[in-house]
């Protein structure tokens, strides 16, 4: 496929490592799908018993991202208590398995004791009532476990939250065999794609054919067009916008209903639910290979953060039609996340 070079202006760029998978709308769509699928079941009753009056899976789906900052409003006492008890909570949202691999293995390169697979295992055991001091080292309550499972079921189907890219100075994708090989001298971590920078304006131009006939191109009067967008942010938010746009939905609830009405064929998980995070991670690794298909990185560019620390970025080239397959993939993955979540809750509370 013909490629378009996403040439970016890098001077002064600052790359955030705290991107939120799927953004607000994406996570709420996952939660809304699950809300609908468990309606009338014993699982719904158990969920309601753990949530506050008026809350739903959709409503709490963004909670673990909200605790990272104040963009959701002031931090509640519950949020502050959770953050103080979980200093590594921002690491619960992802793992960094080289996208070229087929399976997640405990302790392998890119994994961590507090990554998304391990955190999901812990939270699921808590909801099953099978937690022990060894299996629940973070002392999650059942309410916290439910909120985490709701959020992380969305995170783990985002391709870049599982399949990670490691590169050399020339931007060549490589596969580190051990954690020690990722030395930021010969082998570099792209930080979940946060350090791959795209030209946002060109991506928007590529997406023109995703706008349904008769619908105007979204305008942002008075808001300067960003020069660059991290590849991770593209997958977190841009693909969600495109996925909603493709099926003429504007809200997470509308997306959820359209998804269910489409009667998607979502693979069933097997075995003890505590093992499902491994199955989900392996499935997303397969999807991440599609996300990186035809994508190439340029040479390394040193940057200095606002704190005076050196980090590295790479320009990115993507296929000219990239928004089309990536938005279709995002739609599939969000639907998969909602169905996985509902199936998990019904398996825990049959």
């Amino acid at each position: 496929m013909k490629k378009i070079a996403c040439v970016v202006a890098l001077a002064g760029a600052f790359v955030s490592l705290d991107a939120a998978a799927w953004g607000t709308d994406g996570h709420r769509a996952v939660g809304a799908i699950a809300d609908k699928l468990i309606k009338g079941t014993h699982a719904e009753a158990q969920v309601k018993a753990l949530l506050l009056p008026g809350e739903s899976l959709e409503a709490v789906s963004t909670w673990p991202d909200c605790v990272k900052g104040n963009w959701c409003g002031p931090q509640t006492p519950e949020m502050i208590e959770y953050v103080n008890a979980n200093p590594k909570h921002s690491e619960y949202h992802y793992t960094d398995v080289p996208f070229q691999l087929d399976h997640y293995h405990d302790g392998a390169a890119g994994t961590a004791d507090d990554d998304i697979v391990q955190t999901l295992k812990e939270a699921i055991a808590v909801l099953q009532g099978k937690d022990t001091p060894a299996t629940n080292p973070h002392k999650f309550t059942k309410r916290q476990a439910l909120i985490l499972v709701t959020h992380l079921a969305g995170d783990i189907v985002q391709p870049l939250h599982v399949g990670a890219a490691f590169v050399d100075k020339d931007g060549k994708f490589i596969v580190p065999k051990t954690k020690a090989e990722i030395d930021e001298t010969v082998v570099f971590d792209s930080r979940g794609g946060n350090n791959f920078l795209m030209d946002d304006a060109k991506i928007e131009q590529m997406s023109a054919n995703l706008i349904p006939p008769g619908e105007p191109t979204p305008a942002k009067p008075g808001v300067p067009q960003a020069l660059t967008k991290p590849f991770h942010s593209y997958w977190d938010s841009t693909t969600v916008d495109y996925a909603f746009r493709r099926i003429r939905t504007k809200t997470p609830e509308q997306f959820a209903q359209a998804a269910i009405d489409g009667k998607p064929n979502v693979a069933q998980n097997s075995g003890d639910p505590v093992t499902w995070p491994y199955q989900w991670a392996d499935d997303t690794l397969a999807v991440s290979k599609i996300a990186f298909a035809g994508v190439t990185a340029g040479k390394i560019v040193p940057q200095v953060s606002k704190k005076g620390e050196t980090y590295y970025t790479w320009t990115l080239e993507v296929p000219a039609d990239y928004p089309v397959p990536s938005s279709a993939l995002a739609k599939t993955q969000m639907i998969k996340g909602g169905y996985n979540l509902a199936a998990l809750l019904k398996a825990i509370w049959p």
Side-chain angles (χ1 to χ4, degrees):
M1 290 182 290
K2 182 181 178 182
K3 297 179 182 178
I4 292 180
C6 292
V7 181
V8 296
L10 296 173
F14 178 76
V15 179
S16 169
L17 300 182
D18 267 340
W22 300 134
T24 299
D25 282 348
H27 273 294
R28 291 182 72 95
V30 169
I33 290 171
D35 279 328
K36 292 176 181 295
L37 293 176
I38 67 170
K39 193 169 183 61
T41 68
H42 180 58
E44 181 190 34
Q46 294 297 312
V47 166
K48 284 185 175 180
L50 293 174
L51 297 181
L52 301 177
E55 286 184 334
S56 62
L57 296 176
E58 177 185 351
V60 302
S61 64
T62 58
W63 194 96
D65 280 339
C66 289
V67 301
K68 297 178 184 178
N70 60 5
W71 60 84
C72 302
Q75 299 289 286
T76 66
E78 181 184 28
M79 290 177 173
I80 294 171
E81 181 181 356
Y82 170 80
V83 169
N84 289 339
N86 294 274
K88 292 187 176 182
H89 67 91
S90 63
E91 299 178 20
Y92 299 167
H93 300 245
Y94 62 90
T95 190
D96 286 323
V97 179
F99 74 86
Q100 300 93 331
L101 300 183
D102 296 324
H103 300 287
Y104 174 104
H105 294 289
D106 292 349
T111 68
D113 293 340
D114 292 305
D115 70 14
I116 190 168
V117 172
Q118 304 306 321
T119 304
L120 273 167
K121 281 173 53 184
E122 185 175 342
I124 290 169
V126 171
L127 293 178
Q128 290 177 312
K130 298 178 180 178
D131 57 308
T132 66
T135 62
N136 186 17
H138 299 97
K139 300 179 180 179
F140 294 143
T141 66
K142 279 198 171 184
R143 172 175 164 80
Q144 289 173 337
L146 174 61
I147 291 173
L148 283 169
V149 163
T150 301
H151 182 84
L152 299 183
D155 277 350
I156 202 167
V157 294
Q158 206 270 49
L160 272 60
H161 270 243
V162 177
F166 297 89
V167 291
D168 62 16
K169 288 184 177 180
D170 294 325
K172 179 182 178 182
F173 295 132
I174 52 183
V175 181
K177 294 181 175 59
T178 66
K179 295 181 179 181
E181 288 183 37
I182 309 168
D183 59 3
E184 301 299 312
T185 300
V186 177
V187 179
F188 297 83
D189 184 355
S190 71
R191 307 296 183 212
N194 277 291
N195 290 4
F196 290 151
L197 302 182
M198 311 169 72
D199 185 322
D200 200 24
K202 286 189 176 181
I203 290 296
E204 187 63 27
Q205 291 173 4
M206 292 180 193
S207 70
N209 62 345
L210 293 177
I211 304 174
E215 182 176 317
T217 301
K220 302 176 183 178
V223 179
Q225 176 67 50
L227 292 175
T228 63
K229 171 169 286 188
F231 190 46
H232 191 112
S233 295
Y234 170 83
W235 273 97
D236 276 352
S237 57
T238 307
T239 59
V240 174
D241 174 53
Y242 293 164
F244 276 42
R245 193 186 298 181
R246 287 180 70 133
I247 58 174
R248 293 180 177 272
T249 56
K250 297 183 181 297
T251 68
E253 197 282 332
Q254 290 174 356
F255 180 91
Q257 191 60 57
I260 293 171
D261 290 345
K263 302 186 185 309
N265 182 20
V266 179
Q268 299 294 310
N269 298 114
S270 59
D272 189 327
V274 80
T275 69
W276 290 13
Y278 290 94
Q279 298 173 50
W280 295 347
D282 287 354
D283 181 79
T284 302
L285 272 175
V287 173
S288 70
K289 292 172 179 57
I290 303 173
F292 278 100
V295 174
T296 58
K299 291 187 177 182
I300 191 170
V301 179
Q303 304 289 343
V304 179
S305 74
K306 294 178 181 178
K307 296 181 180 180
E309 300 170 340
T310 299
Y311 66 99
Y312 304 96
T313 59
W314 293 259
T315 59
L316 210 64
E317 293 183 355
V318 299
D321 66 342
Y322 195 71
V324 176
S326 61
S327 60
L329 198 58
K331 173 189 170 186
T332 297
Q333 291 302 102
M334 287 188 287
I335 293 171
K336 195 182 295 180
Y339 273 76
N340 285 347
L341 175 58
L344 175 69
L345 297 176
K346 288 191 281 189
I348 293 173
W349 296 304

